[in-house]
Amino acid sequence: MLYNGWEREADIHLSRVGAVEQADGCDVIRPRQALVGGRMAAEVVGLQLLRAECWRSLCREGGRRRWHLSSLHSPYRCCSTGTTYENINKPVVDRIIRVDHAGEYGANRIYAGQMAVLGRTSVGPVIRKMWDQEKDHLKKFNELMILYRVRPTILLPFWNIAGFMLGAGTALLGKEGAMACTVAVEESISHHYNNQIRTLVEEDPEKYRELLEVIKKFRDEEMEHHDIGLDHDAELAPAYSILKNAIQMGCKAAIFLSERI
């Protein structure tokens, strides 16, 4: 019997927290025990967001991806090649995938905020093109979260709001402000990806070959976005240096927190 891979994997991931119910067409988590404190509540919301992204990815593919139930039993199996990962440094991989997923999620929210303000302007298609690439990045990290059994950061609900506000707020300064935000964020992400590449190469470049290929590809695309921002007058934004430094300080804090919680 064949199972829908996204549905099965997402439900397995969510089953650690609680049962999934349907209410008014929405996915709801019914915890197995009472939620205690904000941490558990935030983690439940984060898992809901991850599951929603999985469903959206499935719908875009028209349900074409189907995996045999037997493929779900191995905790570290790459569905594209059938490779099983053994003796990986799980804490390191968890931190990398968790923070990268959070970063791409935040980037998507930033571009959503920019499009809400500038979508109908001449720079709208440029922002849309970069956003489409970020959607692909997020889709890939959604897959890696499931394949490597990594929980999302509990801060996803916060990045959801903060990312959109940052994108919309800088876009209100004009296209130069939006592009200054793009330059600052993409430069920070590219630097962070380079650090991750060095870490994985020091660990074992062959063992982490597929993960390295993903990170290198995304780093190059982030640098393309950085250059696009410069080409579209990012440096003409009001108080460019101050704005850029402030955004990058926020990025560093977001990276630090998302790696750990």
Side-chain angles (χ1 to χ4, degrees):
M1 180 177 181
L2 295 177
Y3 283 80
N4 185 302
W6 277 117
E7 179 180 5
R8 179 65 176 170
E9 288 282 8
D11 285 344
I12 289 172
H13 195 75
L14 284 169
S15 66
R16 300 171 184 172
V17 178
V20 179
E21 295 178 343
Q22 290 289 328
D24 299 327
C26 299
D27 291 321
V28 179
I29 301 289
R30 175 170 51 81
R32 293 201 179 98
Q33 56 186 7
L35 299 179
V36 180
R39 180 185 177 91
M40 179 65 76
E43 185 164 341
V44 169
V45 175
L47 289 170
Q48 287 178 302
L49 292 171
L50 175 61
R51 191 174 193 273
E53 288 295 334
C54 292
W55 274 109
R56 280 193 284 271
S57 297
L58 174 64
C59 291
R60 283 195 296 268
E61 295 181 7
R64 291 191 299 273
R65 295 189 66 173
R66 293 186 176 276
W67 304 331
H68 286 284
L69 182 60
S70 60
S71 69
L72 303 175
H73 296 317
S74 176
Y76 310 119
R77 182 174 296 276
C78 178
C79 294
S80 61
T81 64
T83 302
T84 300
Y85 296 98
E86 297 177 354
N87 302 319
I88 66 169
N89 190 332
K90 191 68 165 63
V92 169
V93 172
D94 281 3
R95 285 173 59 149
I96 287 175
I97 295 178
R98 180 180 302 115
V99 70
D100 289 354
H101 173 266
E104 297 297 349
Y105 182 82
N108 269 266
R109 299 305 295 152
I110 289 172
Y111 283 117
Q114 291 180 351
M115 284 296 294
V117 177
L118 299 174
R120 296 180 181 273
T121 67
S122 60
V123 79
V126 177
I127 297 174
R128 170 65 68 180
K129 182 178 179 180
M130 294 189 289
W131 189 14
D132 287 342
Q133 285 187 309
E134 298 294 347
K135 289 177 181 178
D136 291 337
H137 296 181
L138 180 58
K139 175 184 173 182
K140 183 61 180 180
F141 278 112
N142 280 333
E143 295 176 5
L144 294 176
M145 292 278 284
I146 294 172
L147 293 176
Y148 285 88
R149 304 298 195 268
V150 179
R151 67 163 179 82
T153 173
I154 65 172
L155 296 173
L156 276 187
F158 178 74
W159 303 146
N160 178 27
I161 298 171
F164 187 90
M165 291 180 63
L166 176 60
T170 53
L172 289 172
L173 299 175
K175 76 165 188 175
E176 295 84 3
M179 291 301 164
C181 176
T182 295
V183 168
V185 171
E186 303 294 21
E187 187 175 289
S188 296
I189 293 175
S190 299
H191 178 72
H192 179 63
Y193 276 156
N194 281 330
N195 289 337
Q196 291 182 339
I197 291 168
R198 282 191 288 269
T199 297
L200 293 176
V201 168
E202 290 172 0
E203 285 279 335
D204 188 334
E206 185 58 33
K207 183 185 297 183
Y208 301 106
R209 177 176 56 83
E210 293 180 70
L211 186 55
L212 279 167
E213 289 176 355
V214 170
I215 295 175
K216 288 177 180 177
K217 178 178 183 294
F218 291 174
R219 177 207 54 194
D220 293 344
E221 291 178 352
E222 305 296 3
M223 282 307 301
E224 288 178 9
H225 299 172
H226 170 274
D227 295 342
I228 289 172
L230 290 177
D231 291 341
H232 285 79
D233 303 325
E235 294 173 309
L236 299 181
Y240 171 74
S241 296
I242 297 174
L243 179 62
K244 179 183 176 184
N245 289 334
I247 292 173
Q248 290 187 329
M249 287 178 62
C251 289
K252 290 179 181 178
I255 289 169
F256 179 86
L257 293 172
S258 296
E259 282 182 331
R260 291 163 174 80
I261 59 176

